[in-house]
Amino acid sequence: MTALLLRDLRLSIRSGGGALIGVLFFMAVVAVIPFGVGPDLNLLSRIGPPILWIGALLASLLGLDRLFQADREDGSLDLMLMQETPLVLTVFVKCLAHWLSHSLPLVIASPLLALFMNMDALSVGATALTLLVGTPAITFIGAAGAAVAVSLPRGGLLVSILVLPLTIPVLIFGAGAAYAATQDPSPFLPPFLYLIALTLIFAVIGPLAAALALRASSD
């Protein structure tokens, strides 16, 4: 499993800067908001956490269609299906590698992009923490969508259509927890705990659903 994790990380780095593209897309989404909203700094600071979450969510969808597609094209997927290691564990490791190479850079970049939204230190820290906890859930959900579309030559749009509605609860609790950190009447802990619970739930359901879809596509 360690060899598979390192292999996927190396392939992600060599495949044309997927992480950099995600960060640039994230930056583009956040940077255009002040031009559309206007120079109201108070308004920007209030909508900052949801905007960062929306940008990170959309950027996380990039590259999900290639999660299993490349393995299918070079025959690696057939070997994964025939090996003794449980396919669910293999899918989980691939999801971890995808998160480390595509979503973790977004979390690291979020404090810098928060400067565009005039966010204070508390709000920046809360948003980065919720992204760190919540983005794995997006990857696990995306794995199931990528597995369903793995046999399609151009399944990128289908993956986004399948995954985006399922990520709405993650977006709600992630943005809600980040926003609540700056509002005294709204506690931070309850939505943050719900966000952790969603990530743990999808960490089980996502790889399992992806493994079943991969088995079905190979029949």
Side-chain angles (χ1 to χ4, degrees):
M1 292 297 100
T2 302
L4 177 61
L5 176 64
L6 295 177
R7 167 189 173 271
D8 278 17
L9 288 175
R10 287 194 298 267
L11 290 177
S12 177
I13 295 174
R14 297 174 184 173
S15 62
L20 179 60
I21 294 175
V23 172
L24 291 177
F25 181 82
F26 187 21
M27 182 183 300
V29 172
V30 176
V32 299
I33 297 300
F35 295 100
V37 173
D40 190 341
L41 297 181
N42 292 329
L43 177 59
L44 289 175
S45 63
R46 288 198 304 271
I47 66 174
I51 294 301
L52 287 176
W53 252 98
I54 292 173
L57 171 61
L58 296 177
S60 298
L61 298 179
L62 299 177
L64 281 176
D65 59 312
R66 300 293 298 173
L67 188 57
F68 303 110
Q69 191 71 42
D71 293 325
R72 181 181 176 87
E73 292 172 355
D74 63 14
S76 300
L77 183 59
D78 294 331
L79 297 177
M80 295 177 187
L81 292 172
M82 292 185 296
Q83 67 181 355
E84 296 181 358
T85 304
L87 185 58
V88 175
L89 181 58
T90 301
V91 172
F92 182 88
V93 172
K94 289 184 68 65
C95 290
L96 178 59
H98 185 275
W99 180 80
L100 289 173
S101 59
H102 289 77
S103 297
L104 184 58
L106 303 178
V107 179
I108 297 174
S110 62
L112 297 177
L113 297 180
L115 298 177
F116 288 98
M117 307 304 297
N118 191 42
M119 295 167 56
D120 56 26
L122 177 61
S123 182
V124 171
T127 302
L129 181 60
T130 55
L131 287 174
L132 181 64
V133 173
T135 48
I138 300 174
T139 302
F140 291 127
I141 298 171
V148 171
V150 68
S151 59
L152 302 178
R154 296 182 179 179
L157 180 60
L158 178 60
V159 173
S160 299
I161 293 175
L162 292 175
V163 170
L164 192 58
L166 298 176
T167 59
I168 297 301
V170 180
L171 174 63
I172 291 174
F173 287 111
Y179 183 76
T182 61
Q183 305 295 318
D184 293 335
S186 302
F188 168 79
L189 194 57
F192 184 69
L193 292 178
Y194 279 118
L195 182 63
I196 295 175
L198 285 175
T199 298
L200 294 176
I201 291 172
F202 285 120
V204 176
I205 297 177
L208 180 60
L212 293 175
L214 291 174
R215 291 286 186 191
S217 66
S218 64
D219 295 338

